[in-house]
Amino acid sequence: TQLLEQSPQFLSIQEGENLTVYCNSSSVFSSLQWYRQEPGEGPVLLVTVVTGGEVKKLKRLTFQFGDARKDSSLHITAAQPGDTGLYLCAGGLQGGSEKLVFGKGTKLTVNP
Amino acid sequence: NAGVMQNPRHLVRRRGQEARLRCSPMKGHSHVYWYRQLPEEGLKFMVYLQKENIIDESGMPKERFSAEFPKEGPSILRIQQVVRGDSAAYFCASSPTGRFKNIQYFGAGTRLSVL
């Protein structure tokens, strides 16, 4: 059973388009992180959200944590080829140990 | 300010040999986590350690796998008598103490190939 479901699994778009990636669960998380992973490398932390309803912006990336802290979204405006990569969401379970639960990821390709 | 350092980056072992994976956390971090990533799968938690203590090993197989984080030196993930199914990327993460302890920073990983 996958605790965190990410969608879509694959996304191929043209440069300049907007996109949204979703991360959903039936469990409540104390925090949720988004990472980006390049082939052959480790995940790089993009953002952490901890408060229900929280919205964080990182240049063209907007992250939102659901009010009930069960889901999150990542929106990219005017995507660029440099945004290509695997985007992973990971959550710390409410009342659980410090381990992170990961989604399987969204593989994004931005074509020039 | 060095990040999480893992070595080796690539490790090739024959079935039955031992694999030792090392992880040095970020400076000032006292919490270390090990995760495994299989092809087309998400990262799966294995073990969480603090200095000289295993806090949570619920994701680590009971047989052949062990982990330590000694008072001095890096954290070690040890796999004895490796089998082909152990082939995967193994990632170490570290986090600071206090209220941000579940914000984890990852190393570049060790890619283990078992022949």
Side-chain angles (χ1 to χ4, degrees), chain B residues 71-83:
Chain B
K71 189 176 179 181
E72 302 291 336
S75 175
I76 306 286
L77 179 67
R78 184 181 175 207
I79 311 173
Q80 295 178 289
Q81 300 172 331
V82 296
V83 301

Side-chain angles (χ1 to χ4, degrees), chain A residues 2-20:
Chain A
Q2 191 71 22
L3 213 54
L4 269 175
E5 297 286 346
Q6 277 190 250
S7 62
Q9 190 176 353
F10 299 97
L11 188 56
S12 181
I13 61 171
Q14 293 302 120
E15 184 176 0
E17 292 183 2
N18 301 332
L19 67 113
T20 303

Side-chain angles (χ1 to χ4, degrees), chain B residues 6 11-12 25 45 54 61 90 99 114:
Chain B
Q6 287 188 252
L11 184 60
V12 179
F45 167 80
I54 296 175
Y90 291 83
R99 64 188 289 258
V114 179

Side-chain angles (χ1 to χ4, degrees), chain A residues 11-85:
Chain A
L11 188 56
S12 181
I13 61 171
Q14 293 302 120
E15 184 176 0
E17 292 183 2
N18 301 332
L19 67 113
T20 303
V21 174
Y22 299 93
C23 181
N24 295 297
S25 177
S26 56
S27 299
V28 177
F29 293 96
S30 58
S31 69
L32 200 133
Q33 280 106 70
W34 284 91
Y35 293 85
R36 181 174 146 192
Q37 186 178 21
E38 304 284 351
E41 297 294 329
V44 175
L45 182 64
L46 296 175
V47 78
T48 298
V49 285
V50 296
T51 305
E54 183 175 2
V55 176
K56 280 193 175 178
K57 289 183 186 288
L58 188 67
K59 296 184 181 178
R60 294 177 293 100
L61 278 60
T62 302
F63 305 85
Q64 185 161 11
F65 201 11
D67 290 341
R69 290 185 289 148
K70 293 182 178 181
D71 53 83
S72 181
S73 64
L74 157 60
H75 182 79
I76 301 179
T77 304
Q80 299 175 1
D83 295 328
T84 294

Side-chain angles (χ1 to χ4, degrees), chain A residues 2 30-31 33 35 37 40-43 45 48 86 88 97-100 102-104 107, chain B residues 9 33 35 37 41-45 48 56 58 91 101-108 111:
Chain A
Q2 191 71 22
S30 58
S31 69
Q33 280 106 70
Y35 293 85
Q37 186 178 21
E41 297 294 329
L45 182 64
T48 298
L86 179 67
L88 299 164
S97 81
E98 311 308 328
K99 65 187 178 188
L100 291 178
F102 277 82
K104 286 189 178 183
K107 195 169 287 188
Chain B
R9 289 291 305 272
Y33 313 80
Y35 293 82
Q37 187 175 39
E41 294 288 326
L43 280 85
K44 303 289 186 191
F45 167 80
Y48 161 39
D56 181 353
S58 59
F91 292 98
K101 60 179 178 288
N102 63 353
I103 299 175
Q104 297 177 20
Y105 298 87
F106 283 78
R111 275 131 191 99

Side-chain angles (χ1 to χ4, degrees), chain B residues 34-96:
Chain B
W34 286 93
Y35 293 82
R36 177 164 62 178
Q37 187 175 39
L38 292 166
E40 308 305 320
E41 294 288 326
L43 280 85
K44 303 289 186 191
F45 167 80
M46 297 182 74
V47 62
Y48 161 39
L49 310 101
Q50 293 179 25
K51 284 284 186 182
E52 301 185 280
N53 285 303
I54 296 175
I55 307 302
D56 181 353
E57 56 182 348
S58 59
M60 198 153 69
K62 297 283 187 285
E63 307 282 330
R64 303 187 297 110
F65 285 73
S66 63
E68 62 176 9
F69 189 15
K71 189 176 179 181
E72 302 291 336
S75 175
I76 306 286
L77 179 67
R78 184 181 175 207
I79 311 173
Q80 295 178 289
Q81 300 172 331
V82 296
V83 301
R84 288 225 173 99
D86 297 333
S87 295
Y90 291 83
F91 292 98
C92 169
S94 72
S95 68

